[in-house]
């Protein structure tokens, strides 16, 4: 069984709105980081770039969760 539907409404209190946004932002960044990390682990081409290619990916040893 899924979660119930929540009606969206603006949070009028500025401090509460900023706290809610910062928590949401942290969660989204965490999720994006995990997606990137898992995609890098599945991709065999990102672990061994060819000579002369410019790769913007970090080695798995430099990534932190």
């Amino acid at each position: 069984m899924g979660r119930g539907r929540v009606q969206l409404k603006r949070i009028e209190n500025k401090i509460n709105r900023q706290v809610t946004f910062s928590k949401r932002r942290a969660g989204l960044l965490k999720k994006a980081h995990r997606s990137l990390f898992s995609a890098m682990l599945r991709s065999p081409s990102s672990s061994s770039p060819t000579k002369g290619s410019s790769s913007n990916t970090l080695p798995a040893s430099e990534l932190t969760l």
Side-chain angles (χ1 to χ4, degrees):
M1 187 160 124
R3 296 182 180 197
R5 187 175 184 114
V6 177
Q7 184 177 0
L8 297 178
K9 59 182 178 179
R10 181 177 171 89
I11 299 173
E12 298 298 330
N13 185 330
K14 184 178 179 180
I15 294 171
N16 289 348
R17 186 169 55 242
Q18 288 175 339
V19 169
T20 301
F21 175 73
S22 67
K23 288 180 181 181
R24 179 72 173 141
R25 179 181 56 210
L28 289 173
L29 290 175
K30 182 178 177 182
K31 187 174 185 178
H33 184 266
R34 286 187 179 182
S35 293
L36 174 67
F37 184 73
S38 67
M40 289 177 63
L41 290 178
R42 285 182 290 193
S43 174
S45 64
S46 68
S47 61
S48 58
T50 60
K51 184 178 179 181
S53 70
S54 60
S55 176
N56 292 333
T57 58
L58 294 174
S61 61
E62 294 183 23
L63 295 175
T64 59
L65 291 178

